[in-house]
Structures are given as structure tokens and as C-alpha cells.
């Protein structure tokens, strides 16, 4: 096992939601973010699904990394192995939700397959690998990143609802103004960086 | 046939540019656009993986069983991305370290899967290769332009070489994340307005002619 | 064999995996010596730079490292440059996102720093990541070590403190937290050097 950094997992959790939001400062998961944030309800569903998947994938990938990949010395295959882990987690989650909560499945179901190719999930897993997080740190970072993504998409969905009624230059309509909004959100989130002391 | 490839090339680079028109794939590369060199290397990696990935997938498309199509696509695309990673690790260790997780994230770049699904699944191999390369180039050109602006205003340098004099105060915001969103939005605005104006001009010309 | 029969799907998937993984394994094996050499060069050249020993290329660096630097039993290094003896050690501490590992070199009495080099860091690229820039690291070269070690000046110009006697260096603008972490790690290394580390 490698030496993991001396960072409090709780701080890591809050820092990954606010100060270094995986979307607003690492640009991960932007594609589905822009497409889905048109609609408040879908945003909620997708955000919840992403949070669950990143959290679970961070824990399982951690185990796969230290129990399989490193002992077998197949680090060069880690990208594709992580993708398979993510696809499997999404598949299992889909089945479990279908089984136990059909109503949740109805609202979440269509988003789950989208998540396999959401960069935020693989991004969080790769960050976990490079930063050598411990299991607890990985889980905190995973759920924090997911929650941060969820928070960002809910905020953006709310803002977009207001923008709909405002006059916007023709060339900026749709994606353009959304990107500018995300830029302002990113600036606002930088303001959090003084608040949380990651120690 | 030749003009056909030309059209595919033009589609990928301009009329159907992955960033302006499809707004795809900014996730993995936007993060490194505060440095021109890293951006160029990432764009080259994306172009390589999209082009050859599309070529391979198009060549074997009749062999792939429907049930595992998605996983095979991911496998083929990962293959090329891992090759890029291995080459960077061996020959450009400093860049590989700076790019960190972003090389691996090329796999989830929506352009790769997008082109595999939208073009390579229904077209012959060579056309798919051209399409993949064109999309990679269209993507790379936009991001490099953004990187030039960000690195120049943020550090006063391009390719790490200082260009602005000592009088120049670097714009810290350009190094940080928000500026990338603003610049993509501005580029999008410019491209859309230009296309709209060209369209209007063409329509006006058509109207004159028909009269 | 029909294309959608189970046997075909399984065979195809296995064949595809084998076909694509094999070249990767070969490429990885073929480049392994090079990757190891890169890693050794990164580690040795960082020590050389911390000692202020110039080198021209990787071969030159390996030669000079072998000739001039002595590896000590406690993991530190000692070297004699231009007739003066210097000591260095490696120090790891928490950063904003992962561990930061520095090599800190000082003269024999730990009165002046010889140099500080960054071996590993996971800070935000373009912000905290700028601690790798030459102007930041060069500030430490020859800096007098005060009674309280070295302090980082958050209100500095952000382009480097040229005064070698004030035991102070400028922080990276916009990366106050990362600068604080570097300060803490450098001072911990100085404390180790003073209490007889790297001897």
C-alpha cells in the first residue's frame, strides 16, 4: 500500500464540493452537464445518479487498483479496467434500483447509461489513483466530487430557467450563454477557497 | 470520391466543428488550455485516437455482435489512448506528469464515442479515418486558439517563451478555470454569428437571383 | 456461427481483448527500461538541482550524480560543491490535493539554504502547480535561514524576492494555501537538518 497524503477525509469531502468542484475547476462532465441542465427535474435525477456512481466507483476502483492492478503490474491497463468497473457499477445499480424502487428507476433509469461515459466518474477515479488516496479518502473524495457536480447542475438548471425569459444576443442563445453562466459560477466558487483549510 | 473526403474534412473542421456545433468533448482538454504545448499534445492525442479508433471500428463493424458493441467500442478507443499514454510516459515524461489524469480522460471524451457512433458505424474505413482526423483537428484548432490567448494573457508567454515585456501584468484569471468557459463561449458566439451572417447573405443573394 | 449467438459473442469479445491487449503489453514492456530511466533521471536531477550542480543532459546528470553526490543511510544526501559541503534531505507533507515532496539542501551548519527542489506535487495546474516554476524555486537559493526558518510572504510581488538575507520568499499569487504548505515542509526539513539529519 502506498503512503497516502495526510489529509482529513472530511475536509477532502467539503473541499471537493466547494473549492475545487470537479466540474467548475476541472471541467469534468461538461457534456451531459450542458445538455441536461435545461430541465430542473432531470438535473436532480442525473445529479443523484452521478453522486452514487462516483462514490461507489471510487471505493471499488480503489480495491481493484490495490488488490489487482498493482500486484499484477498491469498499471498500463488501468484506464480500460476502470472503465469496465464503472460500466459494471452502472449496470448493477440499474438492476438494483429497478428491483427495489421502480418509481426511482423510472426517473433515474434513462440517465444511468449516460453516466458510463461521463468524464467526471473516470476523472475522479484517476485523481484518486494519482493522488494515492487511502480507501476512506477515496470514498470521501468520490462522494464529495459527485455532490459537487450535483450542486453545480442544480444551480445551473435554476439559473437557466431565469435566463429563458431574458433577452440574449442571438449568437449566444443556448450553449453560449450557458457557458458564460458556468464561468461566473466557477468564479463564485473560487471564493470558497479561503474558507476551507485543507490540513 | 476525392471531393467527398474534402467535404468530410471541411465538415469536421468548420461546418460541423465538434466544439462550435456539437459542443462535445470539452471536458478532457479544457483543463490544460492554460498552456499551449500541453494543449497541442492533448489535441494530437485526441486526433490520433479519434482517427484510428474510427478507422478500426469501421473496419470491424460487421463483425461486432450487437450485445457487446458499446464495450468493444470502449476497448478499441482505450487501446489507442493507452498507446498515447505509454508513448508520453516513455518519451515526454515531463509532459506526461503535467497532464496527469487528463490523458486517460481522452477515453471519455465524447468526440471519440460520438464519431464512432455517428459516422464510423455507417461508413467505410478510410472515410471514417478522415472524419475522425477532421474532427480531432477542428477540436484541436479551437482549443489551441484558446490556449494561445490564455497562456499569453495569463503568463505573458507562448510555448513557455516570454513574449510580453516586464511592463505586462499577467491576468491571473486567465490561468484559472472560469476564463476557459468565457473564451469557449466567446468563440462559439463568434462562429455562430459568422455562420448566421453568411447564411443571411446567401439567402439574400438567392432571393435576388430568383427575382 | 450466427452473429448473435452466445458462443460468437463470447469468442469475439475474448479475441478482441487478446488482440488489443497484446500490443499494449508489448509496448509497455518495450518502454519499461526507458520509463525507469526517466524516473531515475527525474529523482537524481532533482537532487543535483537542489545542490546547485549544473548538468547538460541525462547521461551527464547520471555521471555527476555518481561522482559528486553521496547517498546517506538515513535517505539524505551530501555533496561538496566548489569546496563547500552541503546536505540535503527529502521531506513529504500534505498539499492541497495530495502529498508534496521536496528536496531541501542547505550548507553544513544549516545557516543558508542551498536550494529547494520539487519532486512531486498534485496541486492545481496553473495555480499551486506554479511552485514548480523557476522564479519560485530560485528564491530559496542561498537564502539565510532565520531563527524561525523561512517565511513565505503572501503580500509579496509574486515575482520573486531577491533579498537573500531576509529569510523570506514570495508566495505564488492566487495559491496562498499551497504556498503555506511549501513553507511548512521547508521548515520541517530545516528542523531535521538542524537536528542532524542527512549526516
Amino acid at each position: 500500500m502506498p503512503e497516502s497524503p495526510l489529509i482529513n477525509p472530511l475536509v477532502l469531502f467539503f473541499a471537493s464540493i466547494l473549492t475545487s468542484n470537479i466540474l467548475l475547476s476541472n471541467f469534468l462532465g461538461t457534456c451531459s452537464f450542458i445538455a441536461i441542465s435545461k430541465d430542473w427535474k432531470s438535473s436532480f435525477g442525473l445529479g443523484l445518479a452521478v453522486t452514487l456512481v462516483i462514490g461507489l466507483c471510487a471505493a471499488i476502483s480503489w480495491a481493484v487498483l490495490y488488490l489487482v492492478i498493482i500486484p499484477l503490474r498491469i498499471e498500463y491497463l488501468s484506464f480500460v479496467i476502470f472503465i469496465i468497473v464503472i460500466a459494471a457499477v452502472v449496470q448493477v445499480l440499474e438492476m438494483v434500483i429497478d428491483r427495489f424502487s421502480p418509481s426511482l428507476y423510472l426517473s433515474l433509469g434513462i440517465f444511468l447509461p449516460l453516466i458510463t461515459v461521463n468524464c467526471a466518474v473516470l476523472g475522479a477515479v484517476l485523481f484518486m489513483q494519482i493522488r494515492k488516496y487511502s480507501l476512506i479518502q477515496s470514498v470521501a473524495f468520490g462522494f464529495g466530487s459527485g455532490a459537487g457536480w450535483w450542486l453545480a447542475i442544480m444551480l445551473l438548471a435554476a439559473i437557466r430557467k431565469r435566463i429563458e425569459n431574458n433577452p440574449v444576443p442571438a449568437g449566444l442563445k443556448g450553449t453560449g450563454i450557458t457557458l458564460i453562466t458556468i464561468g461566473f459560477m466557477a468564479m463564485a466558487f473560487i471564493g470558497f477557497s479561503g474558507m476551507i483549510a485543507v490540513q | 470520391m476525392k471531393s467527398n473526403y474534402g467535404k468530410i474534412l471541411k465538415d469536421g473542421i468548420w461546418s460541423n466543428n465538434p466544439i462550435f456545433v456539437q459542443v462535445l468533448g470539452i471536458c478532457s482538454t479544457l483543463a490544460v488550455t492554460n498552456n499551449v504545448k500541453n494543449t497541442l499534445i492533448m489535441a494530437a492525442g485526441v486526433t490520433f485516437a479519434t482517427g484510428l479508433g474510427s478507422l478500426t471500428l469501421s473496419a470491424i463493424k460487421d463483425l461486432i455482435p450487437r450485445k457487446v458493441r458499446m464495450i468493444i467500442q470502449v476497448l478499441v478507443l482505450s487501446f489507442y489512448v493507452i498507446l498515447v499514454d505509454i508513448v508520453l510516459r516513455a518519451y515526454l515524461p515531463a509532459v506526461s506528469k503535467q497532464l496527469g489524469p487528463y490523458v486517460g480522460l481522452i477515453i471519455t471524451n465524447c468526440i471519440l464515442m460520438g464519431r464512432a457512433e455517428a459516422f464510423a458505424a455507417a461508413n467505410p474505413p478510410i472515410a471514417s479515418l478522415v472524419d475522425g482526423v477532421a474532427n480531432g483537428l477542428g477540436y484541436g484548432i479551437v482549443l489551441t486558439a484558446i490556449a494561445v490567448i490564455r497562456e499569453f494573457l495569463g503568463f505573458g508567454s507562448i510555448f513557455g517563451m516570454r513574449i510580453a515585456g516586464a511592463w505586462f501584468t499577467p491576468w491571473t484569471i486567465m490561468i484559472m478555470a472560469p476564463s476557459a468557459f468565457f473564451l469557449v463561449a466567446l468563440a462559439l458566439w463568434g462562429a455562430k454569428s459568422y455562420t448566421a451572417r453568411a447564411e443571411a447573405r446567401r439567402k439574400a443573394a438567392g432571393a435576388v437571383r430568383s427575382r | 456461427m450466427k452473429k448473435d449467438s452466445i458462443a460468437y459473442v463470447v469468442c469475439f469479445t475474448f479475441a478482441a481483448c487478446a488482440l488489443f491487449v497484446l500490443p499494449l503489453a508489448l509496448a509497455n514492456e518495450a518502454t519499461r527500461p526507458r520509463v525507469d530511466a526517466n524516473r531515475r533521471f527525474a529523482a537524481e536531477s532533482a537532487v543535483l538541482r537542489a545542490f546547485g550542480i549544473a548538468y547538460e543532459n541525462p547521461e551527464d546528470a547520471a555521471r555527476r550524480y555518481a561522482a559528486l553526490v553521496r547517498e546517506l543511510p538515513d535517505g539524505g544526501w551530501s555533496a561538496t560543491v566548489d569546496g563547500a559541503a552541503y546536505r540535503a534531505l527529502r521531506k513529504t507533507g500534505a498539499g492541497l490535493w495530495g502529498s508534496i515532496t521536496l528536496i531541501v539542501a542547505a550548507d553544513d551548519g544549516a545557516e543558508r539554504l542551498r536550494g529547494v527542489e520539487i519532486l512531486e506535487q498534485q496541486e492545481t495546474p496553473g495555480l499551486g502547480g506554479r511552485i514548480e516554476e523557476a522564479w519560485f524555486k530560485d528564491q530559496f537559493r542561498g537564502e539565510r535561514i532565520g531563527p524561525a526558518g523561512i517565511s513565505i510572504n503572501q503580500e509579496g510581488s509574486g515575482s520573486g524576492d531577491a533579498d537573500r538575507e531576509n529569510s523570506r520568499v514570495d508566495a505564488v499569487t492566487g495559491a496562498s494555501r499551497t504556498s503555506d504548505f511549501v513553507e511548512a515542509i521547508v521548515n520541517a526539513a530545516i528542523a531535521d537538518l538542524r537536528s542532524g539529519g542527512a549526516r
Side-chain angles (χ1 to χ4, degrees):
Chain A
M1 228 97 323
E3 238 177 278
S4 24
L6 299 164
I7 301 174
N8 184 341
L10 203 63
V11 175
L12 205 55
F13 175 76
F14 285 108
S16 51
I17 296 179
L18 297 174
T19 56
S20 190
N21 190 290
I22 195 153
L23 188 121
L24 296 174
S25 67
N26 290 322
F27 308 98
L28 297 180
T30 335
C31 307
S32 46
F33 186 78
I34 292 174
I36 302 293
S37 63
K38 263 181 241 147
D39 178 60
W40 169 272
K41 256 185 121 172
S42 312
S43 303
F44 184 84
L46 184 66
L48 176 62
V50 165
T51 310
L52 276 177
V53 172
I54 301 188
L56 287 175
C57 284
I60 297 173
S61 304
W62 185 90
V64 170
L65 177 63
Y66 292 110
L67 300 179
V68 181
I69 295 180
I70 290 183
L72 290 180
R73 297 193 51 154
I74 48 170
E75 284 94 339
Y76 62 98
L77 288 179
S78 52
F79 297 159
V80 71
I81 295 176
F82 288 148
I83 286 271
I84 293 170
V85 167
I86 294 167
V89 166
V90 169
Q91 197 83 53
V92 170
L93 201 67
E94 205 174 341
M95 289 192 294
V96 170
I97 294 178
D98 188 21
R99 177 92 198 252
F100 292 102
S101 171
S103 64
L104 185 64
Y105 181 75
L106 275 184
S107 58
L108 263 182
I110 46 165
F111 303 117
L112 281 167
L114 269 180
I115 296 175
T116 313
V117 287
N118 186 322
C119 352
V121 185
L122 183 66
V125 170
L126 291 177
F127 274 125
M128 166 213 92
Q129 179 191 18
I130 284 191
R131 293 170 181 166
K132 304 193 179 87
Y133 286 151
S134 69
L135 178 59
I136 298 170
Q137 283 169 335
S138 303
V139 172
F141 178 70
F143 277 109
S145 300
W149 200 90
W150 192 2
L151 176 68
I153 197 171
M154 295 308 290
L155 290 174
L156 183 67
I159 296 173
R160 280 186 81 170
K161 210 160 204 154
R162 308 287 308 206
I163 292 178
E164 260 173 30
N165 308 322
N166 293 341
V168 171
L172 269 180
K173 277 217 173 77
T175 318
I177 193 72
T178 308
L179 281 167
I180 291 185
T181 314
I182 301 174
F184 280 120
M185 284 169 65
M187 279 173 84
F189 270 60
I190 290 174
F192 286 115
S193 54
M195 267 174 58
I196 298 172
V198 185
Q199 192 82 55
Chain B
M1 205 60 199
K2 193 135 208 175
S3 63
N4 194 9
Y5 290 148
K7 190 187 171 299
I8 297 174
L9 210 58
K10 186 177 170 244
D11 264 357
I13 295 177
W14 175 250
S15 19
N16 201 19
N17 183 291
I19 293 191
F20 293 151
V21 183
Q22 313 167 54
V23 202
L24 283 184
I26 48 179
C27 343
S28 56
T29 309
L30 213 49
V32 299
T33 50
N34 55 20
N35 181 311
V36 180
K37 190 175 155 206
N38 291 354
T39 308
L40 277 177
I41 289 172
M42 277 294 280
V46 170
T47 309
F48 172 81
T50 326
L52 291 182
S54 286
L55 172 76
T56 315
L57 284 168
S58 169
I60 61 169
K61 64 174 181 287
D62 294 328
L63 296 173
I64 306 178
R66 228 173 335 134
K67 277 182 203 145
V68 288
R69 203 185 63 205
M70 187 93 163
I71 202 86
I72 296 290
Q73 279 174 349
V74 171
L75 179 73
V76 169
L77 296 173
S78 315
F79 169 76
Y80 289 109
V81 175
I82 293 173
L83 269 187
V84 171
D85 184 53
I86 289 178
V87 169
L88 283 183
R89 226 180 269 266
Y91 298 96
L92 291 167
V95 174
S96 164
K97 205 171 143 193
Q98 272 177 23
L99 292 178
Y102 292 103
V103 180
L105 284 170
I106 296 178
I107 297 176
T108 48
N109 188 317
C110 326
I111 294 180
L112 271 74
M113 282 296 252
R115 292 332 286 172
E117 276 289 280
F119 197 94
N123 284 286
I126 301 295
S128 303
L129 171 70
V130 175
D131 174 73
V133 169
N135 274 276
L137 285 179
Y139 173 78
I141 290 168
V142 176
L143 288 185
T144 309
I146 289 173
V148 168
I149 300 175
R150 282 185 77 187
E151 190 179 335
F152 179 69
L153 294 177
F155 295 102
S157 66
I158 287 177
F159 278 113
M161 269 183 308
R162 210 174 156 80
I163 288 182
W167 50 268
F168 180 75
T169 311
W171 304 15
T172 309
I173 184 78
M174 278 295 160
I175 306 170
M176 297 162 92
S179 68
F181 288 115
F182 292 140
L183 286 174
V184 174
L186 288 180
L188 198 75
W189 189 5
K192 259 194 177 168
S193 308
Y194 178 85
T195 322
R197 201 167 303 158
E199 190 84 351
R201 211 176 302 133
R202 202 163 36 230
K203 248 184 214 150
V208 168
R209 214 172 299 131
S210 66
R211 212 185 293 159
Chain C
M1 215 180 329
K2 276 222 317 261
K3 216 174 101 179
D4 278 321
S5 71
I6 304 263
Y8 181 83
V9 170
V10 171
C11 289
F12 181 85
T13 312
F14 269 101
C17 285
L19 202 68
F20 285 108
V21 168
L22 195 68
L24 289 180
L26 291 177
N28 185 59
E29 273 315 307
T31 53
R32 182 166 288 165
R34 229 196 134 87
V35 172
D36 289 344
N38 287 340
R39 200 168 296 144
R40 203 175 51 242
F41 169 66
E44 292 182 354
S45 63
V47 175
L48 289 180
R49 286 196 302 273
F51 277 127
I53 303 173
Y55 56 89
E56 273 154 17
N57 50 43
E59 293 83 55
D60 189 36
R63 217 171 19 247
R64 281 173 198 253
Y65 183 85
L68 295 171
V69 178
R70 205 156 61 86
E71 290 176 1
L72 302 171
D74 68 349
W77 298 273
S78 70
T80 306
V81 188
D82 302 331
Y86 297 102
R87 298 181 288 136
L89 46 77
R90 183 201 329 253
K91 195 82 194 167
T92 299
L96 197 56
W97 293 108
S99 300
I100 300 177
T101 303
L102 303 180
I103 294 176
V104 179
D107 57 14
D108 205 41
E111 280 157 5
R112 269 178 198 278
L113 283 177
R114 176 67 181 170
V116 169
E117 197 53 49
I118 286 131
L119 203 56
E120 210 174 314
Q121 54 95 2
Q122 316 286 346
E123 301 308 289
T124 322
L127 284 173
R130 294 183 63 199
I131 53 173
E132 297 229 29
E133 287 176 15
W135 69 267
F136 181 76
K137 294 187 296 191
D138 284 347
Q139 301 180 88
F140 292 97
R141 209 158 282 288
E143 189 80 27
R144 172 178 297 286
I145 300 173
I150 297 284
S151 68
I152 287 214
N153 180 14
Q154 301 281 7
E155 267 85 48
S157 66
S159 54
D161 177 311
D163 187 346
R164 291 289 175 256
E165 303 299 324
N166 62 1
S167 309
R168 209 166 59 182
V169 294
D170 278 355
V172 175
T173 319
S176 48
R177 308 280 323 151
T178 300
S179 305
D180 285 346
F181 292 126
V182 171
E183 177 183 26
I185 299 167
V186 169
N187 285 328
I190 289 172
D192 277 6
L193 284 167
R194 277 185 174 152
S195 63
R199 272 204 198 278

